[in-house]
Amino acid sequence: HGAAELDEMGAEVLPRRTPAPAWLPTAKAGEEGDFCLRSSDCAAGLCCARHFWSKICKPVLREGQVCTRHRRKGTHGLEIFQRCQCAEGLACRLQREHGPADASRLHTCQRH
């Protein structure tokens, strides 16, 4: 009782597993560049963002990195290359420049 099945050659037969479909998220968290459906599919420090017509795990933005500020709700979905949000404790704000007001419309992740 409890003995493993043996094939004709005497080798142990393991139960056959059907491979999971490629679109099905795996148990491990996705690394940078892996396909995802939502940010919870990605490892810590990454978010799930659009890249062309699919979504991949990308790094959460750190201080000083360029970020995207959305003026209207819902415009994030129109981007073909989405960026992640700024990391915790940072906000996406207009970069402070020395010079004429509004010379640069660039936003960066800055401390609150």
Side-chain angles (χ1 to χ4, degrees):
H1 295 289
E5 278 188 59
L6 301 177
D7 67 10
E8 295 126 25
M9 305 288 285
E12 193 173 321
V13 177
L14 298 174
R16 185 167 260 198
R17 285 189 174 180
T18 306
W23 54 264
L24 192 65
T26 58
K28 76 171 190 72
E31 298 300 319
E32 188 172 342
D34 287 352
F35 289 101
C36 56
L37 296 174
R38 62 193 67 81
S39 291
S40 60
D41 296 337
C42 301
L46 302 174
C47 82
C48 188
R50 189 177 327 288
H51 189 80
F52 286 113
W53 289 270
S54 57
K55 292 175 98 177
I56 62 170
C57 296
K58 295 183 180 184
V60 170
L61 301 176
R62 296 186 304 274
E63 189 171 6
Q65 290 186 305
V66 174
C67 54
T68 305
R69 175 108 181 180
H70 301 284
R71 293 168 191 256
R72 289 183 302 274
K73 191 173 182 162
T75 56
H76 197 60
L78 303 177
E79 293 176 285
I80 194 166
F81 296 109
Q82 288 178 337
R83 291 183 175 110
C84 288
Q85 68 284 359
C86 296
E88 200 171 318
L90 301 175
C92 188
R93 294 194 177 132
L94 188 62
Q95 185 171 313
R96 296 189 263 310
E97 293 281 332
H98 299 294
D102 290 341
S104 170
R105 302 297 313 160
L106 200 62
H107 286 77
T108 58
C109 293
Q110 301 170 26
R111 295 250 169 240
H112 288 294

